Amino acid sequence: MFKVSVIIPIWNVEDYLADAIDSVINQTCGFKENIELILVNDGSPDNCDKICRAYLKKYPDNIIYIEQENRGLSAARNAALEVASCGCIAFLDSD
């Protein structure tokens, strides 16, 4: 179904997170048709959870939201890779 899985690991980036997510949603290739967005909250202590849940509610068919205890960037990316459905993977830092 989707052509690319975009993975965003999240930790303490509430000031930048919406801009990062919006940059994926606004891609000219067609977000709703072609992009699976995987957000991994790596135990962020700020309001990232609230931001992620708002986007998940708005785009439930495109967004996968994973929450985990803080284990670091690599563990967050690996958690997303386990659920990614596309052969083409893109990593985007949220800041």
Side-chain angles (χ1 to χ4, degrees), residues 18-92:
D19 287 339
I21 294 170
D22 286 340
S23 75
V24 175
I25 292 169
N26 294 322
Q27 291 298 305
T28 58
C29 68
F31 174 72
K32 287 188 177 183
E33 301 82 18
N34 297 309
I35 298 175
E36 170 184 69
L37 178 57
I38 305 172
L39 306 172
V40 184
N41 185 341
D42 192 37
S44 188
D46 57 8
N47 288 316
C48 287
D49 178 68
K50 183 177 179 180
I51 295 167
C52 289
R53 289 184 185 281
Y55 279 97
L56 177 61
K57 186 175 182 179
K58 190 171 182 180
Y59 301 101
D61 296 333
N62 292 78
I63 294 178
I64 297 171
Y65 181 48
I66 300 170
E67 295 177 88
Q68 65 183 32
E69 291 183 18
N70 184 259
R71 297 185 308 175
L73 179 61
S74 295
R77 286 180 175 166
N78 287 335
L81 286 172
E82 290 180 16
V83 300
S85 67
C86 302
C88 184
I89 306 290
F91 295 103
L92 176 63

